[in-house]
Amino acid sequence: MKQCEANLIITLGLIAHHRGNGEQARDYFEEAFELAEQHDLEGEKYSYYNNIGIIDISDRNYESAIKNFRTALKIAANIDDIKTHNTLHNIALCYNNIGNREKALEYYKLSLDERKMLKDTLAMLYSYINIGVLYMQQDINDSALHYFDLSKDAALKINDQRVLGFAAINMSNIYHTNGEYDKGIESARAAQEAFKVSGNTSMEQMG
């Protein structure tokens, strides 16, 4: 009963956050956490730190977010069958935003490992893209191409033309940088076609 009550309060917090009211969201999450503490609801404690971390990201308080996500992972270590790949992904996002690409790659790959175990193609797809972008930003082009190619395969499986186009345009840019102009043109055309099919003509990088 108390678990249901805590989850209801967490849901109210999520709604408040989606509506842009971070302070109200924090209040709801704090209320849910108090219940979780009183009744040893470990899953809800994990949710608390994870959700507070997400609010920290919205506030661009990345160091605090990392701290909260790490606490969530410590709690999750004692919970059977809990999925932590999104928490790992969010830690990677934080490190990327503060310029620590080495740590960002580490956590993106940890998240990807769990997503592979879960056979979550959509989640794997975004892991591949993010890892590819990080390698590309560091001019490690062979690794970037490898991950963009993996993202293309995943995108084809679930018919995500937008991501297919995003991967192809980045591959085109790398091929041009490498002087492989025919491959660059081929990838650019593939990107153009994918964006046309998806109805999205934007070639901006994804977050």
Side-chain angles (χ1 to χ4, degrees), residues 48-97:
Y48 167 76
Y49 285 106
N50 198 51
N51 287 323
I52 292 296
I54 291 169
I55 292 176
D56 285 336
I57 289 178
S58 298
D59 294 339
R60 299 186 180 182
N61 192 350
Y62 300 117
E63 296 288 355
S64 178
I66 290 169
K67 182 179 178 181
N68 281 308
F69 290 136
R70 285 183 182 277
T71 302
L73 290 176
K74 287 178 182 178
I75 294 169
N78 298 313
I79 303 173
D80 293 335
D81 300 323
I82 192 166
K83 298 177 179 65
T84 61
H85 59 91
N86 287 332
T87 303
L88 294 164
H89 180 93
N90 284 330
I91 293 175
L93 178 66
C94 291
Y95 276 121
N96 193 29
N97 276 294

Side-chain angles (χ1 to χ4, degrees), residues 115 122-130 160 162-163 206:
R115 289 171 174 184
L122 180 61
M124 288 163 57
L125 168 62
Y126 287 105
S127 292
Y128 292 141
I129 282 287
N130 282 304
D160 191 326
R162 177 173 173 263
V163 175
M206 300 160 67

Side-chain angles (χ1 to χ4, degrees), residues 78-201:
N78 298 313
I79 303 173
D80 293 335
D81 300 323
I82 192 166
K83 298 177 179 65
T84 61
H85 59 91
N86 287 332
T87 303
L88 294 164
H89 180 93
N90 284 330
I91 293 175
L93 178 66
C94 291
Y95 276 121
N96 193 29
N97 276 294
I98 62 178
N100 191 334
R101 290 173 178 164
E102 183 178 351
K103 277 290 186 182
L105 273 173
E106 176 187 342
Y107 278 92
Y108 276 137
K109 288 182 177 181
L110 286 170
S111 176
L112 174 60
D113 288 343
E114 184 175 321
R115 289 171 174 184
K116 285 180 177 178
M117 289 176 58
L118 294 169
K119 298 182 180 179
D120 188 336
T121 303
L122 180 61
M124 288 163 57
L125 168 62
Y126 287 105
S127 292
Y128 292 141
I129 282 287
N130 282 304
I131 294 169
V133 168
L134 275 177
Y135 277 125
M136 185 174 67
Q137 289 171 344
Q138 297 173 83
D139 296 321
I140 307 174
N141 289 335
D142 286 347
S143 294
L145 286 171
H146 172 68
Y147 280 97
F148 287 138
D149 207 34
L150 289 172
S151 73
K152 282 176 60 181
D153 290 343
L156 285 168
K157 284 182 181 177
I158 60 174
N159 194 30
D160 191 326
Q161 294 293 320
R162 177 173 173 263
V163 175
L164 187 63
F166 180 80
I169 197 62
N170 280 298
M171 293 177 77
S172 175
N173 291 334
I174 292 172
Y175 285 134
H176 276 95
T177 299
N178 291 347
E180 300 175 81
Y181 301 115
D182 288 343
K183 287 184 178 180
I185 292 169
E186 181 182 349
S187 289
R189 287 174 176 166
Q192 184 180 35
E193 181 61 26
F195 285 131
K196 182 180 178 181
V197 171
S198 71
N200 186 340
T201 58

